[in-house]
Amino acid sequence: MRRIFPAEALALTLLVAGCNANRAPPVVELAPLTTPAYVRVTPAESHLPQSGGCAGDIAQFRAVQDNDLATGHIEKGVYGQIQGELAEADQACGQGDTLRAKGLLRATKTRHGYPEG
């Protein structure tokens, strides 16, 4: 068996590498972008209630929840839990305890990952 020396190994490597040097790189064609940058999931005819006061803020968040349920962004069980928490905030608001109602709403939003604002 013949032994290959380092210089021969280097020459053999360069020779083999040179075999591929004249090949053109493969051409990759990308499909044209046919989808828009965003996809609207909220129906165009929907509207968000006006915010303001505890009743308006709760109604607005409830509308967001209804939309999230309709578009599949929230599970029915979580939706039910949030509606129960909003009922407590509604009750506090109806009794004139605006501060408590807004606190309950803020806690619900935080607990379920919705931004405050």
Side-chain angles (χ1 to χ4, degrees), residues 18-26:
C19 291
N20 291 327
N22 293 332
R23 283 192 186 164

Side-chain angles (χ1 to χ4, degrees), residues 1 3-4 7 13 19 23 26-27 31 34 40 70 87 100 108 111:
M1 184 152 118
R3 187 168 181 211
I4 298 179
T13 302
C19 291
R23 283 192 186 164
V27 177
T34 58
R40 183 181 187 101
R100 181 169 181 264
T108 296
R111 185 172 18 265

Side-chain angles (χ1 to χ4, degrees), residues 37-93:
Y38 67 93
V39 176
R40 183 181 187 101
V41 292
T42 302
E45 67 276 358
S46 70
H47 71 284
L48 204 55
Q50 291 295 326
S51 179
C54 57
D57 291 347
I58 293 168
Q60 192 173 59
F61 188 60
R62 187 169 273 129
V64 169
Q65 293 307 302
D66 291 343
N67 183 64
D68 283 355
L69 180 65
T71 57
H73 288 120
I74 191 171
E75 293 179 358
K76 195 165 183 92
V78 175
Y79 175 83
Q81 182 181 358
I82 291 173
Q83 293 306 308
E85 294 172 14
L86 290 179
E88 187 178 353
D90 266 336
Q91 183 179 12
C93 185

